[in-house]
């Protein structure tokens, strides 16, 4: 089975060559996840970072970003791998809206490569990608968080359940709203899939939410809230990118 998958992947790469998530050209050398020259162009977020959401901190004396000091989160801890700046903004844009779903492979690899130790410390029972509404999925062709989650499952062995949480409302794009509007926008957007409930509770104690970007945390907070209402004890998150916090 492994050999069949390997040959199938090689055939796909020949017909549809992998694109580099940084320069967006065909990856060289062939078979790599990103170009040799691009490896120096993007760096992961390093300390100091917020102890709650993982945002890069400008002040080394701070432990938490301004958002996390002013707001009580429903998640327990989380982090993004890269800063949401010029290079990665372009990468995420092409990943979400221009069909570059192969970028998910590199993003998941980066999560394990840079934060594999943290993943082991969290030790989640399951990976849950942030769901998109069926209309948006139909328009885009895929859920970007699910694409990353699939590769993260491949690298870690942690099972992913793409339909455990459902998005029942088609909300306005978060980037167009201020923080208060974002919270209101998502207030009733999520629902637990009843197929996963046992005695009105989910079977997992620790959950890892996966998404593309963390900014104010409204999406992950609302999803965390409904997970904890249904029996989950600890909710962590990992995103491709995180913003900066003062």
């Amino acid at each position: 089975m492994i050999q069949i998958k390997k040959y199938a992947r090689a055939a796909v790469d020949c017909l549809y060559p992998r694109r580099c998530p940084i320069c967006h050209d065909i990856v060289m050398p062939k078979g790599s996840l990103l170009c040799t020259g691009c490896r120096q162009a993007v760096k992961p977020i390093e300390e100091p970072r917020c102890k709650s959401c993982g945002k890069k901190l400008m002040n080394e004396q701070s432990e938490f970003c301004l958002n996390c000091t002013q707001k009580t989160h429903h998640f327990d801890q989380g982090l993004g791998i890269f800063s949401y700046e010029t290079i990665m903004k372009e990468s995420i844009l092409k990943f979400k809206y221009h069909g570059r779903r192969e970028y998910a492979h590199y993003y998941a690899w980066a999560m394990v490569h840079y934060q594999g130790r943290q993943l082991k410390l969290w030790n989640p029972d399951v990976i849950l990608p942030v769901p998109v509404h069926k209309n948006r999925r139909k328009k885009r062709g895929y859920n970007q968080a699910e694409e990353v989650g699939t590769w993260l499952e491949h690298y870690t062995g942690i099972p992913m359940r793409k339909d455990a949480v459902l998005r029942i409302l088609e909300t306005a794009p978060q980037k167009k709203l201020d923080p208060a509007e974002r919270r209101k926008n998502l207030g009733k957007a999520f629902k637990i899939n009843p197929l996963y409930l046992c005695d009105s509770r989910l079977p997992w104690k620790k959950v890892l939410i996966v998404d593309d970007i963390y900014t104010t945390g409204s999406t992950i907070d609302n999803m965390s809230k409904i997970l904890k209402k249904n029996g989950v004890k600890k909710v962590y998150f990992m995103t491709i990118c995180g913003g900066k916090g003062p």
Side-chain angles (χ1 to χ4, degrees), residues 161-174:
R161 297 293 178 263
K162 63 182 181 181
D163 59 345
V165 180
L166 307 174
R167 195 151 194 158
I168 55 175
L169 293 179
E170 188 174 12
T171 54
Q174 292 290 88

Side-chain angles (χ1 to χ4, degrees), residues 19-21 24 87-108 111 140-151 210-213 239-241:
R19 296 276 177 169
C20 174
H24 314 295
I87 291 175
M88 290 309 299
K89 275 186 178 181
E90 180 69 17
S91 182
I92 297 291
L93 180 69
K94 289 188 179 295
F95 174 51
K96 288 177 72 171
Y97 303 114
H98 296 277
R100 299 287 171 80
R101 59 199 301 174
E102 71 267 27
Y103 289 7
H105 191 170
Y106 170 69
Y107 299 146
M111 288 177 175
R140 191 176 298 164
Y142 54 92
N143 173 4
Q144 72 277 1
E146 187 181 314
E147 295 294 315
V148 177
T150 297
W151 280 109
V210 173
D211 203 7
D212 53 355
I213 308 163
T239 58
I240 303 163
C241 291

Side-chain angles (χ1 to χ4, degrees), residues 20-24 33-46 80-92 103 106-107 109-111 113-114 239-242:
C20 174
I22 305 305
C23 69
H24 314 295
L33 295 181
L34 74 168
C35 295
T36 302
C38 291
R39 291 176 186 169
Q40 302 303 317
V42 60
K43 300 292 183 183
I45 297 173
E46 297 179 340
I81 302 301
F82 304 108
S83 288
Y84 190 52
E85 298 177 302
T86 309
I87 291 175
M88 290 309 299
K89 275 186 178 181
E90 180 69 17
S91 182
I92 297 291
Y103 289 7
Y106 170 69
Y107 299 146
W109 175 88
M111 288 177 175
H113 181 72
Y114 294 117
T239 58
I240 303 163
C241 291

Side-chain angles (χ1 to χ4, degrees), residues 45-50 55-60 62:
I45 297 173
E46 297 179 340
E47 297 291 344
R49 58 193 302 166
C50 177
K55 281 184 181 178
K56 176 69 176 176
L57 296 175
M58 299 298 100
N59 184 353
E60 292 187 6
S62 301

Side-chain angles (χ1 to χ4, degrees), residues 221-236:
D221 257 328
N222 276 278
M223 190 167 163
S224 300
K225 184 177 180 180
I226 194 171
L227 288 168
K228 288 193 169 182
K229 278 187 175 181
N230 285 273
V232 174
K233 300 299 182 184
K234 295 284 185 179
V235 179
Y236 306 106

